[in-house]
Amino acid sequence: MIDTPEFQRLRRIRQLGVSEFTFPGAVHTRFAHSIGVFHTARTLVEVVRREMKRLGKDFERPKAEVALIAALLHDLGHGPFSHTFEGVQASRGVKRRHEKWTADIIRNPEGCIRPLLEGHKPGFTEEVAALLEKEDPEDIHHAIVSSSFDADRLDYLRRDKLMTGTGAGGLDFDWLIDNVRVAEIELDAPDEDGDEPRRVPTFCLTAKALPAAEQFLLARHTLHQQVYFHKTTRCVEHMIAKLLRAVANLADATDGNAGKTGLPDGHPLLSFFAADGETVTNYLALDDMLILGSLDALSKAKDPVIAETAGRLKERRLYKSLDIAEFGEDSGRQRRQLRRIKDRFKDQIEAETVMLDENAAIGIYAEVGGDDDKMHKKLHILDANKPVEISKLSDLVRALEPKKRYTRLYFANKEDRDKARRIKRTP
């Protein structure tokens, strides 16, 4: 399985060894991460086995096998630069999340994954793909792949903390695992007809693990602050998105303008963004390294936006950032100052020589590209043997639950950034 084209694609991401703050996503080695998630999923399967014995229920080995392989394959569907690419596609009206791509890659009759899964057991492919696509859980095995305490989160928190060198945010993994229990939570509230709410088993933590659970959530919060939403990370993501949108617009045109991108005929980006080009085969040809390796050609494009943006990324001449928080913590003052800047730089914002970033918001459950508002994505603590969402028991979590918005502008030149800083401030 490790030598399939799909996994070779994951492995190529790390070849250049560039740092996270050079290009977001490069440090997050998806191949190594996938192996780490698989390993952690095995640990969680043993938790399920232990809990089923405690509860006097049968351990369902076939479902556990599905969850293990789903954990191993969960990131196959990420496009280049992960959620940045999803955002580019969404801006073009293509709202297709990476989970759907993952399922399609696994199901692909011409791929290498399906024969391996079917060789294990007929119908196994569909079971794995269906679990990865499922949004709402039906049993405890879904929690291994997607929950507040799933294998993905448990791996990337430890991995990203190590690989980015950020010291804040601890994670007592062994203690947390020792204190995991399986209990049923309510997925939603009763409806107006008085029907019982849906209940589903998920991972909860004992009351004595509350301090460790707080640190677990705080680690996520800190990584968002210091890494995922770092101003340089966000700036590069916006620049990459701007570049890819410009390439996509020309590649999708019917007037032969694809040649203005600087890319040769048949380049994977042109093939994918062309009309009817969003196939599994074309998608698998895309990864971070393909984009990075194409920057030189893109910097010589006839299209000025592509050439300028690619040249900046190639030479790391990044846009200059301005955080609205520089004008003070008062939200009213921030809004007034942002309004003045948007009025003053209206034309530049439309042309994206000034890029506005007002979609970064961090709460205790904040997750890039996630659906953290769903109940099964929230952490529960057993209080008198009943699962209670952690913010009801923890002052720390409750204080961090409201999302804090990070609003920044990125300027193509330092002079404009400095002008924005000098715009009259409200006393």
Side-chain angles (χ1 to χ4, degrees):
M1 188 177 295
I2 302 303
D3 290 327
T4 65
E6 291 88 344
F7 271 95
Q8 289 172 10
R9 172 174 173 267
L10 293 176
R11 186 183 296 155
R12 287 198 301 270
I13 294 169
R14 188 59 176 169
Q15 286 177 347
L16 294 188
V18 292
S19 73
E20 193 274 339
F21 291 122
T22 304
F23 293 100
V27 72
H28 190 93
T29 315
R30 288 183 219 141
F31 177 77
H33 168 61
S34 295
I35 300 300
V37 173
F38 175 70
H39 173 72
T40 305
R42 288 168 58 181
T43 301
L44 292 176
V45 164
E46 291 307 308
V47 169
V48 172
R49 188 195 302 272
R50 180 193 74 200
E51 285 297 289
M52 293 303 99
K53 182 178 180 180
R54 181 181 68 85
L55 296 170
K57 298 181 179 180
D58 292 333
F59 172 69
E60 299 179 84
R61 182 180 179 86
K63 289 188 175 182
E65 286 185 347
V66 172
L68 280 175
I69 301 304
L72 177 64
L73 303 178
H74 80 286
D75 261 356
L76 279 181
H78 269 301
F81 302 104
S82 301
H83 299 290
T84 299
F85 190 82
E86 279 189 26
V88 169
Q89 288 293 82
S91 71
R92 301 175 62 235
V94 183
K95 296 183 179 180
R96 196 176 198 224
R97 296 184 65 177
H98 71 274
E99 292 89 351
K100 176 59 178 172
W101 278 112
T102 298
D104 286 351
I105 291 169
I106 292 169
R107 291 186 177 113
N108 183 17
E110 299 177 358
C112 299
I113 299 295
R114 185 186 183 102
L116 290 168
L117 299 185
E118 291 303 297
H120 172 67
K121 184 178 67 173
F124 197 57
T125 302
E126 184 57 35
E127 292 182 70
V128 173
L131 179 59
L132 288 166
E133 284 182 317
K134 195 181 299 293
E135 293 186 6
D136 290 331
E138 293 179 356
D139 57 36
I140 189 58
H141 303 93
H142 185 274
I144 295 172
V145 180
S146 181
S147 68
S148 65
F149 202 72
D150 60 35
D152 183 27
R153 286 166 177 75
L154 289 170
D155 182 80
Y156 80 65
L157 285 178
R158 292 178 292 163
R159 187 175 302 277
D160 290 357
K161 182 177 183 296
L162 172 66
M163 298 298 289
T164 60
T166 179
L171 183 62
D172 195 343
F173 179 78
D174 292 336
W175 180 247
L176 287 169
I177 291 296
D178 285 346
N179 285 278
V180 173
R181 301 292 184 267
V182 172
E184 285 192 345
I185 64 168
E186 294 183 358
L187 282 186
D188 43 30
D191 59 27
E192 294 180 356
D193 295 329
D195 291 342
E196 287 293 320
R198 291 179 299 162
R199 301 180 66 85
V200 65
T202 193
F203 294 128
C204 303
L205 293 166
T206 66
K208 63 182 179 181
L210 176 60
E214 292 173 330
Q215 290 300 314
F216 170 70
L217 292 177
L218 189 59
R220 287 173 57 179
H221 190 275
T222 302
L223 275 170
H224 276 81
Q225 280 186 317
Q226 298 187 0
V227 178
Y228 310 135
F229 288 164
H230 187 279
K231 63 179 183 179
T232 309
T233 303
R234 296 287 291 185
C235 178
V236 174
E237 288 176 345
H238 277 269
M239 293 179 69
I240 290 173
K242 177 182 177 180
L243 174 64
L244 291 177
R245 282 196 303 271
V247 171
N249 289 338
L250 291 179
D252 193 31
T254 58
D255 50 10
N257 280 332
K260 294 181 180 180
T261 63
L263 299 174
D265 291 342
H267 188 280
L269 274 176
L270 298 182
S271 298
F272 180 80
F273 286 130
D276 300 321
E278 295 185 7
T279 65
V280 169
T281 299
N282 288 342
Y283 190 70
L284 284 171
L286 306 179
D287 59 29
D288 299 23
M289 304 318 302
L290 174 79
I291 309 300
L292 298 181
S294 302
L295 289 179
D296 184 63
L298 290 165
S299 68
K300 299 170 184 175
K302 293 180 181 178
D303 181 86
V305 173
I306 293 176
E308 198 264 348
T309 308
R312 281 177 171 270
L313 289 167
K314 175 186 172 184
E315 300 167 12
R316 207 178 186 277
R317 292 183 290 109
L318 306 182
Y319 279 33
K320 304 301 179 183
S321 66
L322 173 62
D323 195 322
I324 291 299
E326 290 185 21
F327 300 102
E329 288 296 322
D330 181 80
S331 59
R333 180 182 299 173
Q334 290 181 6
R335 287 194 297 270
R336 290 190 291 272
Q337 193 64 23
L338 177 61
R339 184 172 62 249
R340 291 191 180 97
I341 294 174
K342 289 168 72 172
D343 289 343
R344 169 65 177 80
F345 291 94
K346 179 181 178 181
D347 293 340
Q348 291 96 320
I349 291 174
E350 290 181 357
E352 287 194 283
T353 54
V354 176
M355 297 185 294
L356 175 61
D357 179 12
E358 51 186 352
N359 293 322
I362 304 176
I364 196 64
Y365 288 116
E367 181 186 355
V368 176
D371 48 4
D372 51 287
D373 289 331
K374 293 187 175 183
M375 188 54 66
H376 71 281
K377 294 296 183 76
K378 296 179 181 292
L379 198 59
H380 289 74
I381 304 295
L382 293 174
D383 182 40
N385 293 321
K386 293 183 179 179
V388 177
E389 196 273 320
I390 190 172
S391 66
K392 295 179 172 60
L393 301 173
S394 167
D395 293 337
L396 172 62
V397 174
R398 188 161 51 252
L400 294 174
E401 194 172 24
K403 289 186 177 181
K404 179 180 179 181
R405 189 165 297 280
Y406 289 76
T407 302
R408 301 185 181 112
L409 297 107
Y410 302 102
F411 296 80
N413 60 75
K414 181 177 181 296
E415 291 74 23
D416 280 345
R417 193 266 308 272
D418 292 344
K419 287 179 183 177
R421 277 182 170 153
R422 291 194 296 270
I423 290 176
K424 183 179 179 182
R425 307 184 187 187
T426 302

